[in-house]
C-alpha cells in the first residue's frame, strides 16, 4: 500500500512569488491535514480537508490556502511568499476526520524562500 | 486551548540505557495523546497513542508511555536504547472534536552514544 506522497520534495522560490504543494493521501483515506514545521515555531497545524470540505483551520494568514479534490488529493498554496515561509510542509492523511485516528505523514515538501 | 510541553530539547543516552522523554499537556477536555518519531529528512511516524482505557500504552519499537491524569503527563520510555532510536520525538495532543488537528510539543532530539 503506497504511503502519502508529497510533491515536490524540494523547491526554492523568491519573495513575492507563490507556490503550490501537492499531496496524494493513502488510498481510501479521505482526510488530509497540512502542517508547517520550522526550527523556531515547531510543528503547526495549517488546515484539514475531508471530502473536499475544509473542516478546520489553524492560525495562519490568508496567504495560506488549500483545497481537496474528489479523489482526496490535496493542494496547498502560499501566495506572496515571505522569508518566514521557509519551512518543511507536511501532509498527513487519515481514514476519517476526527480523533483518535492515526495520521500518516508524508516526507514533506521543503520550501526555501530567498 | 491545548498545549504540550516537552522537557529537554536534546537528550543523550548510552546504547542499552533507559530512554525517558517527558511530556506534559494542558487540555480542558479529556485528551487524546500521541507520540510521533521523525527520522532525518522524513515525515512523522506514530509510535503510540492514548485514547481511553488502560493508561499504560505500548507502541512500536519497544516504546511505551503512561498517561497520568493527575500529573497531566504522558512520558515516553524505552528500557534499552538502540542506535536506531536516534531521532526526534514529538508529543502531541488532540481533543478529538477538532478533527485531526494536533497540537505538538517542541520535540526532543535523542542522541544514542555507543
Amino acid at each position: 500500500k503506497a504511503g502519502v506522497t508529497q510533491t515536490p520534495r524540494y523547491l526554492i522560490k523568491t519573495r513575492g512569488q507563490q507556490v503550490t504543494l501537492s499531496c496524494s493521501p493513502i488510498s481510501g483515506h479521505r482526510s488530509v491535514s497540512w502542517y508547517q514545521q520550522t526550527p523556531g515555531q515547531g510543528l503547526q497545524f495549517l488546515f484539514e480537508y475531508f471530502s473536499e470540505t475544509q473542516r478546520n483551520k489553524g492560525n495562519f494568514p490568508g496567504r495560506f490556502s488549500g483545497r481537496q479534490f474528489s479523489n482526496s488529493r490535496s493542494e496547498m498554496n502560499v501566495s506572496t511568499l515571505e522569508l518566514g515561509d521557509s519551512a518543511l510542509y507536511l501532509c498527513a492523511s487519515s481514514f476519517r476526520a476526527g480523533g483518535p485516528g492515526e495520521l500518516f505523514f508524508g516526507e514533506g515538501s521543503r520550501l526555501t524562500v530567498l | 486551548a491545548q498545549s504540550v510541553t516537552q522537557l529537554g530539547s536534546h537528550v543523550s543516552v548510552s546504547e542499552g540505557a533507559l530512554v525517558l522523554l517527558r511530556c506534559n499537556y494542558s487540555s480542558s477536555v479529556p485528551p487524546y495523546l500521541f507520540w510521533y518519531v521523525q527520522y532525518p529528512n522524513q515525515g512523522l511516524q506514530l509510535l503510540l497513542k492514548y485514547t481511553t482505557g488502560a493508561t499504560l500504552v505500548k507502541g512500536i519499537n519497544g516504546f511505551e508511555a503512561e498517561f497520568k491524569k493527575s500529573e497531566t503527563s504522558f512520558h515516553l520510555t524505552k528500557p534499552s536504547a538502540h542506535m536506531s532510536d536516534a531521532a526526534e520525538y514529538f508529543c502531541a495532543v488532540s481533543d478529538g472534536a477538532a478533527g485531526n488537528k494536533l497540537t505538538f510539543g517542541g520535540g526532543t532530539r535523542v542522541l544514542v552514544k555507543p
Side-chain angles (χ1 to χ4, degrees), chain A residues 9-23:
Chain A
R9 289 290 315 280
Y10 302 90
L11 66 165
I12 300 174
K13 294 286 187 179
T14 57
R15 280 180 299 174
Q17 288 186 309
Q18 73 166 11
V19 65
T20 298
L21 309 178
S22 179
C23 172

Side-chain angles (χ1 to χ4, degrees), chain B residues 30-92:
Chain B
Y32 298 134
L33 295 160
F34 307 82
W35 275 100
Y36 281 86
V37 61
Q38 186 177 34
Y39 298 99
N41 299 315
Q42 292 188 26
L44 280 69
Q45 180 184 10
L46 181 68
L47 281 176
L48 50 80
K49 65 180 179 182
Y50 169 79
T51 55
T52 59
T55 57
L56 183 61
V57 181
K58 295 187 184 298
I60 62 172
N61 302 338
F63 285 94
E64 63 181 37
E66 186 171 10
F67 170 60
K68 293 187 176 181
K69 183 179 178 180
S70 61
E71 299 178 7
T72 59
S73 68
F74 191 57
H75 302 331
L76 181 71
T77 60
K78 181 174 180 177
S80 178
H82 191 272
M83 296 299 291
S84 61
D85 294 326
E88 190 158 21
Y89 293 79
F90 294 91
C91 182

Side-chain angles (χ1 to χ4, degrees), chain A:
Chain A
K1 196 174 187 179
V4 177
T5 304
Q6 293 189 244
T7 57
R9 289 290 315 280
Y10 302 90
L11 66 165
I12 300 174
K13 294 286 187 179
T14 57
R15 280 180 299 174
Q17 288 186 309
Q18 73 166 11
V19 65
T20 298
L21 309 178
S22 179
C23 172
S24 293
I26 290 172
S27 178
H29 286 191
R30 295 163 61 192
S31 168
V32 174
S33 307
W34 288 90
Y35 288 81
Q36 182 196 64
Q37 184 176 24
T38 61
Q41 299 299 316
L43 281 154
Q44 293 186 286
F45 173 80
L46 280 158
F47 26 64
E48 178 190 8
Y49 288 87
F50 183 83
S51 295
E52 303 178 66
T53 301
Q54 187 180 86
R55 294 197 76 245
N56 209 342
K57 190 178 189 317
N59 189 24
F60 279 83
R63 300 185 297 107
F64 291 80
S65 63
R67 60 178 174 170
Q68 187 179 35
F69 302 95
S70 58
N71 62 357
S72 294
R73 189 178 70 86
S74 177
E75 290 181 346
M76 66 163 285
N77 183 277
V78 187
S79 63
T80 319
L81 284 167
E82 301 177 358
L83 295 178
D85 298 332
S86 294
L88 180 67
Y89 290 88
L90 291 166
C91 167
S93 78
S94 178
F95 178 71
R96 58 177 175 170
E102 176 177 355
L103 294 186
F104 294 82
F105 283 83
E107 295 185 317
S109 292
R110 185 168 295 281
L111 170 66
T112 301
V113 182
L114 303 177

